[in-house]
Amino acid sequence: MTRISALGVAAAAALALAACGDGGSVKKDSSTGKPTGSAPGSRSTAAGSSPSSSAPSFDPAAGPMVDAAQLPKTCSGLITDADMQLALGNPLTGGDYFQSFQPDAGHKQTGRVKCQYGVVLDNAGKITSNQVEVQLATYADAASAQSRAAATVGTLAGGGAQYAPTAVGGHPATYVTEAGKDAVLVMYDGNRTFLITVQEALVKGDDAKAFTLKIGEALYKHTTPAAASSSPSGSNGSNGSQSAPAGSNGSSGAPSSGAPSSGAPAGSGGSSSAPPSPPASS
């Protein structure tokens, strides 16, 4: 991981988001002069290895374009109870709270949704904390999604967080850790951005990274329409509704104000309607 100053943060973040994927780059073989490498969205194969032995690598800019109308309507449309239990090793305690937001047209955002998992309520029924937060947003085009994802990483890194490139089922992503605070996974694919925030009190260190990657795979699986996925996602998630986020305030991970969905906060897996918790900065 690299700690960076505020200067040049956005540019560095953009590089980090792209570092895991070849993105369709083409290189020439020094001995033959012929191009090697892979086209956008195709599987990359290391020299001397068979295609089946190498992990898939995808170009986010060539990812599916998902309409905001395909947003999930409940928390289970993003991440299910089973996903949480498989990733964590035991059931997540607490209820869920689902919200949808008006899009931020200024950043070409077309929609955003968010779910808080493992919420804690005060005596007035107001959310005071949550253990996992998942956000998904759709944009007018892939370039806008990439820009907002990079801006989110840049904001976190500018505040002193550390970040490193990683991958979710072959899709480039960035893993961010805030000292003594949350673990954050940021990814963009096609016209969508994905943001997963995990409280340190729930899981930390290498376990936190492994957990966020598993949740990221399930989230991508549930929210990517089969017809729109031109190449394997590499995710292990179970069934779920399609989704593209709806949102406001453009940042792929920054919650913003919006009208919460109806329903009362319920146990894990259900949507809720308790007063929303204050937006987290990102």
Side-chain angles (χ1 to χ4, degrees), residues 178-189:
E178 302 176 273
K181 296 182 181 178
D182 307 333
V184 181
L185 184 72
V186 182
M187 182 175 80
Y188 81 93
D189 188 72

Side-chain angles (χ1 to χ4, degrees), residues 27-34 36:
K27 301 177 182 178
K28 287 188 177 181
D29 187 300
S30 58
S31 61
T32 64
K34 295 181 180 180
T36 62

Side-chain angles (χ1 to χ4, degrees), residues 43 91 117 143 146 153 158 161 164-165 180 204:
R43 181 186 296 267
Y117 301 85
Q146 179 181 12
V153 175
K204 63 182 70 175

Side-chain angles (χ1 to χ4, degrees), residues 48-268:
S49 63
S50 64
S52 60
S53 65
S54 63
S57 179
F58 303 95
D59 177 9
M65 296 292 292
V66 178
D67 193 276
Q70 294 174 290
L71 286 167
K73 304 300 187 292
T74 64
C75 286
S76 60
L78 294 165
I79 297 296
T80 67
D81 291 346
D83 296 327
M84 284 290 182
Q85 184 165 350
L86 286 172
L88 190 60
N90 53 265
L92 186 68
T93 60
D96 300 342
Y97 179 60
F98 179 85
Q99 290 176 276
S100 60
F101 301 88
Q102 290 298 314
D104 180 4
H107 291 103
K108 296 186 177 180
Q109 189 181 78
T110 58
R112 182 167 71 90
V113 294
K114 176 181 79 172
C115 183
Q116 295 167 277
Y117 301 85
V119 299
V120 175
L121 306 178
D122 61 17
N123 293 333
K126 191 172 184 178
I127 295 176
T128 58
S129 66
N130 66 83
Q131 295 173 295
V132 181
E133 183 175 285
V134 174
Q135 295 191 57
L136 181 61
T138 49
Y139 293 82
D141 49 57
S144 297
Q146 179 181 12
S147 175
R148 295 312 303 162
T152 297
V153 175
T155 298
L156 292 169
Q162 296 179 315
Y163 68 89
T166 186
V168 174
H171 300 277
T174 302
Y175 181 68
V176 184
T177 53
E178 302 176 273
K181 296 182 181 178
D182 307 333
V184 181
L185 184 72
V186 182
M187 182 175 80
Y188 81 93
D189 188 72
N191 71 324
R192 297 177 295 166
T193 59
F194 305 76
L195 183 81
I196 299 169
T197 304
V198 180
Q199 296 294 321
E200 187 184 41
L202 177 67
V203 62
K204 63 182 70 175
D206 292 340
D207 290 339
K209 183 174 182 181
F211 175 77
T212 57
L213 291 177
K214 288 177 182 178
I215 293 299
E217 289 186 4
L219 175 62
Y220 187 87
K221 174 71 173 181
H222 294 330
T223 60
T224 301
S229 184
S230 59
S231 54
S233 70
S235 63
N236 296 322
S238 56
N239 62 346
S241 60
Q242 299 172 348
S243 82
S248 61
N249 281 6
S251 166
S252 72
S256 57
S257 59
S261 60
S262 60
S268 173

